[in-house]
Amino acid sequence: MRWDALPGIWTGELRFYPEEWGQSPAKLRLELARAGEHYTGVLRVTFPEGNGEGPFPVRAERSPEGTLRFTAPFGTNGQGPVRYEAVMDGNGRLVGTAAYEDPTTLDRMLGSWTLEPAR
């Protein structure tokens, strides 16, 4: 991970929500600013039909394994956190996973995302 490259605006695709409901692939936008050893920012999700979720504040940090990780609410009702984790690939893109577990039913969702620096 090139930690010095993280501050800024990142945009790309999130494949997490059901495709059969017309919600995937969604657009993902992540704005990050350095805050000491961590990064603070805002996450937005926009679905193919145009409506979306967020902005959600995020506090990103390095995991012990050296990956970027943060959480954001699942849905506008805040049904629990979605855990995002990513690495930087050889082309300078953030490539990661999104995971959610329903606190009531323990149902799980897993997805992927890829972001590039906004131009």
Side-chain angles (χ1 to χ4, degrees):
M1 180 71 67
R2 293 186 5 240
W3 299 102
D4 59 326
L6 287 177
I9 299 173
W10 296 81
T11 59
E13 185 176 88
L14 171 65
R15 291 186 174 272
F16 177 71
Y17 298 92
E19 285 187 38
E20 60 271 14
W21 295 352
Q23 294 181 315
S24 189
K27 293 180 183 175
L28 186 64
R29 178 182 171 103
L30 177 63
E31 301 173 26
L32 289 176
R34 184 153 188 148
E37 291 296 313
H38 303 281
Y39 297 85
T40 59
V42 176
L43 179 79
R44 290 180 176 86
V45 177
T46 305
F47 298 113
E49 68 274 357
N51 61 348
E53 297 180 343
F56 299 121
V58 298
R59 182 174 181 267
E61 61 187 11
R62 298 178 196 193
S63 73
E65 299 79 26
T67 61
L68 175 71
R69 67 179 176 189
F70 58 91
T71 62
F74 178 63
T76 54
N77 298 330
Q79 303 167 8
V82 176
R83 294 180 315 278
Y84 293 86
E85 192 158 350
V87 297
M88 190 172 287
D89 71 7
N91 295 318
R93 297 178 303 177
L94 294 176
V95 179
T97 60
Y100 169 76
E101 183 175 301
D102 185 295
T104 306
T105 65
L106 302 181
D107 289 339
R108 295 185 180 136
M109 293 173 62
L110 183 63
S112 62
W113 53 281
T114 303
L115 298 179
E116 297 180 347
R119 302 184 198 278

